[in-house]
Amino acid sequence: MAALFGRRMRRGAASTAVAAAAMAALSASGAPSAVGEQPAASAAERPSAGASGQEDPSVTGDSPYHTDLPPLKGPGRNDPPDETPATGSAESGIPATVLDAYRKAEASLAASNPRCRVPWELLAAIGKVESGHARGGRLDTNGTTPSPILGPVLNGVGFANISDTDGGAYDGDTLHDRAVGPMQFIPQTWESWGRDGNGDGRRDPNNIYDAALAAGSYLCAHDRDLTVERDLHQAILGYNRSQEYLRTVLHWYDYYRKGAHEVPDGSQPAPGAPTGSGGKTPSPAPVRPGTPSPSPTKPGKPTKPAKPGDGSSSKPTPPPTTPPPTSPPPTTPPPTTPAPATRLVDLGDGALSAPAGERFAERPAVRAERADKKPAAQAKVRFTLTGETGTTFEGGATTVTVTTKADGVAKAPALLAGGKPGALTVKATLLGTTEPVTLGLRGEVTAPRADKLVRTDETELTCEAGATFEGRIALTATRDGQAAPGVAATATVLAGADPADGEKAADQGPYFLTPGDEPAEDRRTRELTLTTDAKGNLLLPELHTDDTTGTFRLRVETTGGAVVVLELKVTDPA
């Protein structure tokens, strides 16, 4: 699909006048002007991207782009009619799914990076210039292009020279990179800026939701405020380092800010072969209304019959004849539509489980199969979480839709366990079937755990018989170096100083008192269950002693296996 892109060619005087008028109108409208503001070096003045020791490539690798300008007679304009390029009034229409992706990217970035203030109209301008809004909105129901939109091979012949960085994973080229998708990211910039804009757990440069959010994230880099002209220009030039590119994007940005409307996906014609380098077929220069069409070439004067004897013949040369084909031309068989999916198979190896606040080790996965039990590719499976545990998919969603691959497998994003232990269900629903096809995957959020427990007080653990230990024992539980709140712990007084004495709670020696109104003798216990606070701290109750002297052990163990064993000494009264 590289033929969908191109750079502006040199045009005639009429086209140049139109472009100049467009720039003048843009400046008069109050839109940011590219002229005289932080001029960036032209492509010829910059080093080839990807060369050793030189600067990183732009988002697109300075790939070609569509160069058509919007109509000058936009909303609120009163330009002379002969200054309007023949691009048509339908240019303000944006395919519904594409427009939805631009607006959702704006809303997402407004929440995550409010300083940037990226407008959806700027994303629309870049999307128009890069891919004609994903070939006029030719997308599947998930917002993904049916076939990749690829720029030309970036092999240094007319474009940047960027050796392969992704093993062909995104662009199918293992020698050089190519710009990919509706917003034309080269693989190495996608690895840095790719986003999951539709919550399906994947970062796909061919998906308009993912690509639009990634483009907005890039434009907002370096703490930019896109309402500031300098930041706006730098952001656009980082996408493609060309002043001509900057001016073209600003034209469309200004045009969409003055009015745009939604049109059905695929209702607009896909962009034709654009102008520019790389062997592409140039588009004709725009014609002003009222300009007469060029007249046909006049036939030449008829030649006089040759005079006899001058060595020429007056007989016309017969036209060449084409021999009839000996066999009928081959016909391409019509494409066959694969049978739809009819069932789902659970690919899990057991119940999904994770401690509260942690990531599930296993991701919910199912395989869509046809009636013949063969894998069904391109089937859509919706995963929905139910339960009271507070568990979500990575990114915070509780419902995601995933498209199966060639092996029929749909794998949901990773699960993040909520803070409340309990049961949950991941419901997988096969979409697009006449009869409901649903599979319930059971899961569980277990008690939070700690992998380390340390004592944090300095209380002396020696006490006289019949008295109370001074101070209270304090400990802190952590998990992966972070505080572990809500972790259950058991504190047990054990007999003897040697582990060989057993792990069973002692029947004499130091003891705790449980809360209550009963006499103290009835509230004695040598085994307690406690829970860490919000900071992972654990403060044991006071320890008392009976008349038994000797050495005892206090064992404190948390869920997850973190253990501390302390030695308690009870001496004779003074």
Side-chain angles (χ1 to χ4, degrees), residues 175-546:
L175 295 179
H176 294 90
D177 276 349
R178 302 174 70 172
V180 182
M183 304 302 278
Q184 287 291 279
F185 277 83
I186 57 175
Q188 58 183 298
T189 51
W190 182 258
E191 280 300 311
S192 300
W193 295 101
R195 299 291 185 267
D196 177 13
N198 61 351
D200 65 358
R202 300 174 59 203
R203 299 184 307 149
D204 184 358
N206 295 298
N207 181 276
I208 186 60
Y209 289 96
D210 295 359
L213 183 58
S217 300
Y218 171 79
L219 294 171
C220 290
H222 307 299
D223 201 29
R224 293 188 183 110
D225 178 356
L226 297 184
T227 62
V228 176
E229 185 174 292
R230 178 186 178 89
D231 286 359
L232 175 65
H233 289 187
Q234 287 178 342
I236 297 172
L237 287 169
Y239 218 94
N240 192 311
R241 294 173 296 209
S242 159
Q243 286 289 344
E244 184 73 5
Y245 181 86
L246 172 63
R247 284 189 287 268
T248 304
V249 169
L250 288 176
H251 275 299
W252 283 107
Y253 176 35
D254 177 67
Y255 184 70
Y256 286 137
R257 287 197 307 169
K258 288 178 168 55
H261 63 279
E262 176 185 306
V263 297
D265 290 345
S267 63
Q268 294 178 321
T275 64
S277 57
K280 314 299 184 298
T281 303
S283 301
V287 180
R288 299 181 186 177
T291 302
S293 301
S295 58
T297 305
K298 294 182 180 179
K301 295 182 180 180
T303 57
K304 296 181 179 179
K307 296 180 179 179
D310 63 358
S312 63
S313 172
S314 60
K315 295 181 180 180
T317 303
T321 59
T322 302
T326 57
S327 59
T331 58
T332 302
T336 57
T337 303
T342 60
R343 64 193 296 260
L344 293 175
V345 178
D346 182 8
L347 298 183
D349 56 3
L352 302 162
S353 179
E358 297 189 44
R359 181 191 299 266
F360 281 66
E362 184 180 354
R363 290 166 56 185
V366 298
R367 183 174 60 249
E369 293 182 349
R370 306 195 302 253
D372 57 5
K373 296 187 179 180
K374 291 184 178 180
Q378 298 301 309
K380 294 192 179 299
V381 179
R382 183 173 60 216
F383 292 94
T384 305
L385 279 167
T386 61
E388 303 297 327
T389 63
T391 300
T392 66
F393 293 109
E394 191 171 33
T398 56
T399 299
V400 296
T401 300
V402 179
T403 302
T404 62
K405 299 181 180 179
D407 57 3
V409 174
K411 186 173 287 189
L415 290 170
L416 301 180
K420 184 178 179 181
L424 61 88
T425 300
V426 182
K427 184 170 68 173
T429 303
L430 182 61
L431 304 180
T433 58
T434 54
E435 297 293 333
V437 178
T438 301
L439 194 64
L441 314 178
R442 294 184 178 181
E444 180 185 15
V445 175
T446 60
R449 66 178 181 87
D451 54 26
K452 189 174 182 180
L453 186 65
V454 295
R455 184 183 174 195
T456 56
D457 72 287
E458 298 180 357
T459 301
E460 177 67 34
L461 299 183
T462 299
C463 182
E464 296 179 357
T468 300
F469 283 83
E470 291 186 4
R472 296 168 64 181
I473 298 172
L475 305 104
T476 297
T478 57
R479 178 180 65 250
D480 299 329
Q482 302 296 320
V487 176
T490 302
T492 308
V493 177
L494 306 174
D498 192 335
D501 294 329
E503 300 296 317
K504 186 178 180 180
D507 54 8
Q508 57 184 357
Y511 61 87
F512 301 105
L513 287 177
T514 60
D517 298 328
E518 298 84 1
E521 291 77 6
D522 298 334
R523 292 186 288 114
R524 291 184 181 184
T525 183
R526 292 180 173 86
E527 188 169 11
L528 281 179
T529 299
L530 306 166
T531 303
T532 60
D533 64 15
K535 296 183 178 180
N537 296 326
L538 197 66
L539 185 62
L540 274 58
E542 288 183 326
L543 264 173
H544 308 276
T545 65
D546 57 16

Side-chain angles (χ1 to χ4, degrees), residues 96-124 126-127 183 185 190 193-199 207-220 226 239:
T97 299
V98 181
L99 181 58
D100 183 56
Y102 296 151
R103 286 174 168 163
K104 284 184 176 176
E106 177 192 56
S108 176
L109 291 165
S112 62
N113 190 354
R115 168 182 165 78
C116 178
R117 291 181 280 191
V118 58
W120 70 261
E121 294 91 342
L122 178 59
L123 298 175
I126 292 175
M183 304 302 278
F185 277 83
W190 182 258
W193 295 101
R195 299 291 185 267
D196 177 13
N198 61 351
N207 181 276
I208 186 60
Y209 289 96
D210 295 359
L213 183 58
S217 300
Y218 171 79
L219 294 171
C220 290
L226 297 184
Y239 218 94

